[in-house]
Each structure stands twice: as C-alpha cells, then as structure tokens.
Amino acid sequence: IDELRSKFKFSIVGAEPAVLSAAQKGGEVAILTTRATSESARLHNLCRKAESGYPDVKIEILPCDKLAGEIERHIFEREYDYTRFLPMRSPEVVVLGCTHYVYIAEQIERFYNSCVIDGNEGIARRLCEVLGEGNCQNEHLKPLNNHHRPKSARLRPFLVKFMMKREEKKDEKNRRERR
C-alpha cells in the first residue's frame, strides 16, 4: 500500500489487522494471518509498535496456511468446520488478519472462546472520512456532470448501521454465554 500511495495522488484505503485495538485489551493476542501477511514487514512493525505502546501485551502471529482457500471453497456451506485449520492456542484476544476470516468470525470466536477483532470498523471509518472530504483535492476525483460526491452526513447512516449490527452480535454472544 505504501508503494501505491507514493504512486497515486488520490486516497487509498487499506486493510490491515487491528493489532493496536487488540493490544489495548492487553494479555495474549493471537493474530491469524495468511503466510504472506505473517512475513510482511508492515505487520511486524505494527506489532512492535503495539508491544512498545502496551507493554503488558504478548502478540503472536499465527499463519493459517490453508484457511483463506478453504473459506473460498466452502463459503456457502453453513456447517463446514474450519477449526482444523486453526492453530491450537488459548489467547485472550484473536485478531483476524485476513479479510476472508471475517466470514467465519463466529466459528473462530467459539473455537478460541476469546474476543475476536477485525479491522472492518477502522476501514469503515476511514472510508467515510475519505468519501466525505469536502474538497476534491485531486482533479481526477472531481464529480462529473451533475454527480456529486456523498457528504459525510449521508454516509453516517451506513456507519451507524455497521456499528449497530456489530453491537447486536456482541449482545447475542453475551446472551449465549449467560445461558
């Protein structure tokens, strides 16, 4: 993403694991990733930053070599068991380090019996910021003809809906745990 951002003048919204959000919770944090992400300097720098800012956190990067491919192959099979592709650990927080993994977040949460965090909230916020920018600083981003870029106030309902859905999932999880 750094290479793309240096090449192009328009805003580029990236996705990266929510390591800092997880580190704030402290304790043992497992980051489930693809092999490529596990080897990326960007992720390792992010982990170092989190560990220096939150000394009581212990971060472990766990590559799940076949998980993304299995999700692609079995995405529409409700009862498919992905747990055989998950490393055995007992972290307090699990970070989903691949955009595929959010599709099986509930299964991951049950498997580890831990809090699961993804980067979608941060991506949604950043996207709302970018789309809501009042001035088009780049000529090629200016609206054509009568089309207008959405104002941030018009985007807010989407972010609110996203946040409400997230809270509903948390509430449902809490109800299940109380039973």
Side-chain angles (χ1 to χ4, degrees):
I1 198 164
D2 292 330
E3 183 180 334
L4 291 172
R5 286 179 175 153
S6 69
K7 238 181 215 184
F8 301 104
K9 293 180 182 180
F10 54 85
S11 298
I12 297 174
V13 177
E16 63 185 22
V19 175
L20 295 175
S21 295
Q24 290 174 356
K25 296 181 179 296
E28 292 185 27
V29 174
I31 306 171
L32 303 180
T33 67
T34 62
R35 176 65 57 187
T37 299
S38 75
E39 295 172 354
S40 76
R42 188 174 188 90
L43 177 61
H44 286 272
N45 290 338
L46 188 58
C47 290
R48 277 193 291 280
K49 180 179 177 182
E51 288 174 330
S52 68
Y54 302 95
D56 61 333
V57 72
K58 181 180 181 279
I59 297 173
E60 184 176 15
I61 300 169
L62 301 172
C64 305
D65 291 324
K66 297 181 179 182
L67 187 55
E70 287 298 303
I71 292 169
E72 286 178 2
R73 280 188 285 288
H74 302 282
I75 189 85
F76 297 111
E77 298 173 33
R78 284 185 172 263
E79 302 304 318
Y80 190 81
D81 183 14
Y82 296 96
T83 59
R84 66 178 180 229
F85 302 100
L86 299 174
M88 293 298 297
R89 297 290 193 283
S90 52
E92 293 160 77
V93 181
V94 176
V95 176
L96 304 181
C98 171
T99 56
H100 287 64
Y101 299 171
V102 73
Y103 293 106
I104 63 164
E106 290 175 11
Q107 199 173 122
I108 292 170
E109 187 175 57
R110 284 191 306 272
F111 181 77
Y112 289 110
N113 193 28
S114 301
C115 172
V116 173
I117 298 176
D118 62 59
N120 289 341
E121 184 179 330
I123 294 167
R125 281 201 178 117
R126 180 64 184 135
L127 185 59
C128 284
E129 287 172 13
V130 168
L131 293 176
E133 289 173 356
N135 300 336
C136 291
Q137 299 162 346
N138 302 300
E139 195 65 32
H140 59 278
L141 290 180
K142 287 190 178 175
L144 301 173
N145 303 328
N146 294 336
H147 296 91
H148 303 283
R149 293 177 76 196
K151 300 288 184 223
S152 57
R154 291 185 64 202
L155 293 172
R156 196 159 321 284
F158 295 104
L159 180 59
V160 169
K161 185 176 180 180
F162 173 80
M163 298 300 287
M164 287 175 58
K165 184 85 168 157
R166 190 176 176 97
E167 288 303 312
E168 287 171 9
K169 283 184 177 183
K170 285 181 189 175
D171 291 344
E172 178 61 30
K173 178 189 174 220
N174 291 335
R175 281 195 293 276
R176 279 190 309 233
E177 287 175 354
R178 281 185 253 142
R179 290 185 206 155

